[in-house]
Amino acid sequence: MILKASQRSGAAQLGRHLLNAQDNEHVEVFEVRGFIAEDIMGAMKESEALAKGTRCQQHLFSVSLNPPENEDVPAEVFEGAVASIEEKMGLTGQPRMVIFHEKEGRRHAHAVWSRIDAETMTAKQLSFYKTKLQEVSKQLYLENGWTMPEGLADKSKRDPRNFTLDEWQQAKRAGLDAKTLKSRAQDAWAISDNRESFAHALEERGLYLAKGDRRGHVAVTYEGEVFALSRLTGVKAKDIKAKIGKPDDLRSIADTRKHIANSIAPRLDSFIKQAKTLAKDALTPLRDQRKAMREIHAKERTKMAEGQKERWNRETKERAGRLRSGVRGLWDRMTGEHSKTVKRNELEAWQGLRRDRNQRQTILEAQHKERRKLQVKFRATRERHSKQILELHKQAANYRLMHNGIQQSLRDQFSRKSGQESRNNQQGQARPSRGLELKR
């Protein structure tokens, strides 16, 4: 289970993200503990109000728990993971929230703790939390028998296409896939050996080499978004300079955007718009299926929850009826029958809880399986669209290269012709022509 965490403020913004039902197909508030409020936004406001009594700027500790892609993980495993994180980070007893998100047939969780100790009005220190979370993550893979990612076992083998939250959000704003973007930049870097070949390889992939305002080399997307080249390629800035030189004579970001608008966009805009329209048309029936599936799944869950609640109330009433009152109840206490009945009730209640959870997990697994089948179609459609866009960028880059090559060839021919005429003129001035000699 991959764990990503951050210390942060912005309680209201985080609360809205956790309850975001637009980007997530299902949102479940699993637990709100240690707050007076019983809802997420109320708990967020409460944590922020408490933090104002301290000097702490980042009063929240937020962790996302992402299990392996094709694993259907029961709630108990998430609970165990949250408990391990809490103990490892020294947050035992701190107010917390746990929320489940489901999207594309996958389920992950978010756990958020308040760092403020209400008794001492100080913030819990979270030193080296990334290292500690990595230890918890490894332990979870071992305990659950999951295949551990190579990058987690060995840092040197990390997937270079992994991206930060900021990079993902930036790519999303431009309508791009962050992983695909990194992959294209790294492919361009691998197949090039100098600045010219690298710039052309980037352009074939919809990226344009430029000089950043502060970060040296950057890549500007066709849509105008700017990414640090070292982050996209996974190569250190000094190694980039060694291969393609300093960025001093490159276009600035503003000039690159103008270049795209004036030179590239006129040839590509209509084709890209057409490709996007075709992709949208292809995705529309899939999105309709996703919407219908989401509504059906939600109804199934609601029906199951209502049935479980009704059964639980009925069974609770039955268990309560076993505990006799009055003289008979006193007799049961004297003979030990009351204690036996209490233990029996506790065991049945625990078994009922396990039964309900297992039933819920079964229906979730069935729904996830159905949703994953639909996601395969989404991926295939998006890959086709991505390849079409990539091919358009390649054609545009090669057209410009070919056009420039023809112009250069004409210039070279003109230069050779001019040089030849100049040499002939010089020779003519030094020696009279045969015509004059014949005439004489």
Side-chain angles (χ1 to χ4, degrees):
M1 187 176 292
I2 300 298
L3 307 176
K4 295 184 179 181
S6 64
Q7 300 178 74
R8 57 169 297 163
S9 56
Q13 182 184 8
L14 178 58
R16 288 192 293 270
H17 169 68
L18 295 176
L19 297 175
N20 181 7
Q22 183 175 356
D23 293 334
N24 297 287
E25 295 166 23
H26 301 281
V27 177
E28 177 189 354
V29 179
F30 185 76
E31 179 187 40
V32 178
R33 185 201 72 184
F35 297 97
I36 297 174
E38 296 181 353
D39 63 292
I40 295 296
M41 295 307 296
M44 287 294 182
K45 291 178 182 178
E46 191 177 326
S47 67
E48 193 166 40
L50 184 63
K52 288 182 178 179
T54 71
R55 294 182 179 180
C56 181
Q57 298 297 319
Q58 298 176 323
H59 62 283
L60 297 173
F61 183 59
S62 174
V63 181
S64 65
L65 300 89
N66 299 280
E69 184 173 357
N70 295 318
E71 295 289 341
D72 284 305
V73 181
E76 293 82 5
V77 175
F78 282 105
E79 286 180 299
V82 170
S84 297
I85 295 169
E86 190 170 88
E87 182 181 0
K88 194 76 171 180
M89 301 307 305
L91 293 170
T92 302
Q94 286 297 111
R96 78 181 185 200
M97 297 160 263
V98 179
I99 300 93
F100 284 119
H101 285 172
E102 291 178 50
K103 181 169 58 176
E104 299 178 354
R106 297 184 61 188
R107 193 183 197 205
H108 67 274
H110 293 269
V112 182
W113 285 266
S114 169
R115 294 178 57 208
I116 307 303
D117 187 330
E119 294 183 0
T120 62
M121 290 303 290
T122 57
K124 294 286 186 179
Q125 186 66 28
L126 302 177
S127 303
F128 309 108
Y129 69 84
K130 291 184 179 180
T131 302
K132 293 177 180 179
L133 288 179
Q134 192 175 61
E135 294 173 2
V136 175
S137 181
K138 289 180 180 179
Q139 189 62 32
L140 288 170
Y141 273 97
L142 294 173
E143 289 177 354
N144 293 281
W146 300 327
T147 302
M148 189 179 299
E150 290 185 346
L152 183 60
D154 184 355
K155 289 183 179 180
S156 64
K157 296 181 179 180
R158 285 183 177 175
D159 187 348
R161 296 172 300 170
N162 288 341
F163 46 85
T164 65
L165 178 61
D166 290 339
E167 291 170 341
W168 177 80
Q169 290 175 336
Q170 186 181 4
K172 184 182 178 184
R173 286 195 298 270
L176 303 169
D177 178 75
K179 200 163 189 174
T180 301
L181 196 65
K182 279 199 165 187
S183 179
R184 290 179 180 177
Q186 288 159 16
D187 288 345
W189 178 263
I191 65 174
S192 59
D193 54 6
N194 54 45
R195 176 186 289 186
E196 288 71 24
S197 61
F198 179 54
H200 180 66
L202 282 178
E203 191 168 338
E204 285 187 325
R205 291 157 176 81
L207 298 167
Y208 299 85
L209 188 61
K211 176 178 64 177
D213 297 332
R214 293 175 298 174
R215 294 179 292 198
H217 297 90
V218 297
V220 181
T221 68
Y222 176 78
E223 294 77 12
E225 289 290 334
V226 181
F227 292 86
L229 193 59
S230 59
R231 288 190 177 183
L232 278 185
T233 58
V235 179
K236 293 181 179 178
K238 64 177 183 179
D239 295 330
I240 291 177
K241 288 181 181 178
K243 183 172 181 177
I244 65 175
K246 294 182 179 180
D248 300 339
D249 55 342
L250 292 174
R251 293 189 184 94
S252 67
I253 294 173
D255 289 341
T256 301
R257 286 171 173 163
K258 289 179 182 178
H259 168 69
I260 294 171
N262 296 331
S263 304
I264 311 298
R267 293 197 301 272
L268 275 182
D269 263 355
S270 60
F271 297 113
I272 287 181
K273 287 178 181 177
Q274 184 180 3
K276 287 183 176 180
T277 300
L278 292 173
K280 183 179 179 181
D281 293 342
L283 287 171
T284 296
L286 296 178
R287 287 171 177 158
D288 291 340
Q289 290 181 46
R290 180 179 62 188
K291 183 179 178 182
M293 186 180 294
R294 176 181 178 177
E295 293 174 353
I296 292 172
H297 288 177
K299 288 179 180 179
E300 289 176 349
R301 297 182 189 193
T302 300
K303 183 179 179 180
M304 179 190 63
E306 290 174 350
Q308 287 183 343
K309 183 178 181 180
E310 181 182 351
R311 182 173 59 191
W312 179 264
N313 291 336
R314 184 177 66 252
E315 292 175 348
T316 301
K317 187 176 180 180
E318 291 175 1
R319 288 192 291 269
R322 296 173 187 162
L323 299 173
R324 299 192 294 184
S325 59
V327 176
R328 291 180 179 179
L330 181 61
W331 175 256
D332 288 344
R333 288 179 182 275
M334 291 175 63
T335 59
E337 193 64 30
H338 178 84
S339 178
K340 292 180 181 179
T341 303
V342 169
K343 289 181 180 180
R344 177 188 172 189
N345 286 349
E346 290 175 350
L347 178 61
E348 289 184 2
W350 181 81
Q351 290 175 338
L353 179 62
R354 291 292 306 172
R355 176 201 60 208
D356 290 349
R357 283 200 168 189
N358 289 338
Q359 183 182 8
R360 179 171 179 77
Q361 183 63 25
T362 299
I363 196 171
L364 286 178
E365 289 179 4
Q367 291 181 350
H368 291 166
K369 184 178 180 180
E370 185 179 5
R371 179 62 181 85
R372 285 169 187 159
K373 289 181 180 179
L374 180 61
Q375 190 60 26
V376 171
K377 298 179 181 179
F378 267 103
R379 287 177 181 170
T381 303
R382 286 169 178 160
E383 284 177 5
R384 285 198 303 271
H385 168 65
S386 179
K387 288 178 180 178
Q388 289 172 351
I389 297 296
L390 183 61
E391 187 61 30
L392 288 172
H393 283 297
K394 284 183 178 180
Q395 290 176 4
N398 290 322
Y399 169 83
R400 190 170 64 84
L401 185 67
M402 180 182 68
H403 183 66
N404 290 343
I406 293 172
Q407 288 184 329
Q408 184 63 44
S409 177
L410 291 173
R411 283 196 295 268
D412 292 343
Q413 291 177 19
F414 178 77
S415 297
R416 288 195 298 271
K417 185 175 181 181
S418 299
Q420 184 65 37
E421 290 178 352
S422 177
R423 286 192 297 274
N424 290 339
N425 290 336
Q426 290 175 1
Q427 292 174 0
Q429 292 175 358
R431 185 182 62 186
S433 66
R434 288 183 181 271
L436 291 173
E437 292 177 354
L438 291 172
K439 183 175 181 181
R440 188 177 58 183

